[in-house]
Amino acid sequence: MTDVTLDTVATATPPARRDIGLKRRYAAERRFRLYGVLAILVGLAFLVVMLLSILTKGYTSFWQTTVSLPINFEEKVIDPDNKRATDPSVLVTANYPALAQKALAEKLGIDPKNKPMMTRLKGFLSDGSRVQLRDVVVSDPAVIGTTRNVNILAGANLDSAFKGQIDLTVPEERRKVSDQQVEWMNKLKADGAMAEHFNTGLFTFGASSRPETSGLGVAIIGSFYMMVIVLLLALPIGVAASIYLEEFAKKSRFTDLIEVNINNLAAVPSIVFGLLGLAVFVNFLGMPRSASFVGGLVLTLMTLPTIIIATRAALAAVPPSIRSAALGLGASKMQMVFQHILPLAAPGILTGTIIGLARALGETAPLLLIGMVAFVANYPATPFDPATALPVQIYMWANEAERAFVERMSGAIIILLVFLMAMNITAIVLRRRFERRW
């Protein structure tokens, strides 16, 4: 591009000045396009870096290291006084980790009476073995006195070492896995007793202080309850409000004020809705904290403006000729709206609803304020039971000190992104499938 001075423009003939002006405008347009392309490339670069960081840290969370051990369900350990017929609770309180520890020692050729070696074995297996073996016995007490192969979860540090997430070349005192444990790990791996399996616990386990036994089961159920509540409340209320404002309400200062406030509410930070929910639903109405029902009510308030705006836009997009034709054929205004306008606006309403639900699914701040950060290990049976949500569980794992929780956190982000992408893709497909061009 040739630089042109002001003196050149001043001394040039009128046609020449016109050409110089055109060249400047074309050059400015090319620069603007270049800036736009650069902005898009920078945004895509940050997006790619973020996704790669999440994927590289989180894909391993979908596999869990286990140790296959022949567990001898000794009666003298589980029920030494033979009380299980009259007192089934003895099956719950037995010392199951001792059975797993003994089976591991025998697998490695260690004498269970050698206390120093048994001490070194601590941490090799997860403390979740208590729950694993307890569930086996409680579901089938006939296993007492028999030997069965059980895949016991490895400890969090051994799981990270087996996946190659711990640098084993650094000095022993600078890592949480000892050289002896590494030697045992390699021996079990060579024997085929230690391997990775698909981590179903990531989707079924509840909250736990141990990374290897932590999962999203409670969070998934809590998020499902909340989305159902939002759908049942926000959709009918939002559509009804939109129909009234767009089709029945007369233009006045009052309706203008309502429209302005609806648009403003759509831009209000979500934490403000959390404060409102805390003040009204929890403190004033006395609803239970950390319950999915309260979370659903808060997210309903946050989603309503989005649904109202999308629904009004869909209703306004229906040509006026449809209204005139329906009224001309003798339909009442109510019939015109519900039998002609609303069916034609349904694709836009559906799209706005799905987008609103997707936004609500990813919210964290309002749920933190109503107490959904509780440590919940049991599945919520109803929406009124304590629960948590996917984004809140991610937040809680991000604050844990154990490095293995970083893997769980990244895996949970991947799952949440998959849900959000599925909802947005569904909205796009449905809109293209049912949309009409006027």
Side-chain angles (χ1 to χ4, degrees), residues 65-67 104 107-108 121 124 154 157-169 175 177-196:
T65 305
T66 61
V67 183
L104 177 62
K107 187 77 173 179
L108 295 171
L121 279 178
F124 198 96
N157 293 325
L158 267 297
D159 178 56
S160 298
F162 193 83
K163 294 176 180 177
Q165 297 170 349
I166 296 179
D167 187 3
L168 300 178
T169 61
R175 45 184 161 87
V177 180
S178 66
D179 290 338
Q180 180 68 76
Q181 290 177 326
V182 173
E183 180 182 344
W184 289 333
M185 180 183 72
N186 292 331
K187 180 179 180 181
L188 292 172
K189 182 179 179 180
D191 294 340
M194 195 170 186
E196 294 181 28

Side-chain angles (χ1 to χ4, degrees), residues 198-221:
F198 183 74
N199 188 12
T200 57
L202 182 63
F203 301 91
T204 58
F205 292 157
S208 174
S209 59
R210 298 179 291 271
E212 67 275 9
T213 57
S214 296
L216 298 170
V218 174
I220 291 175
I221 294 176

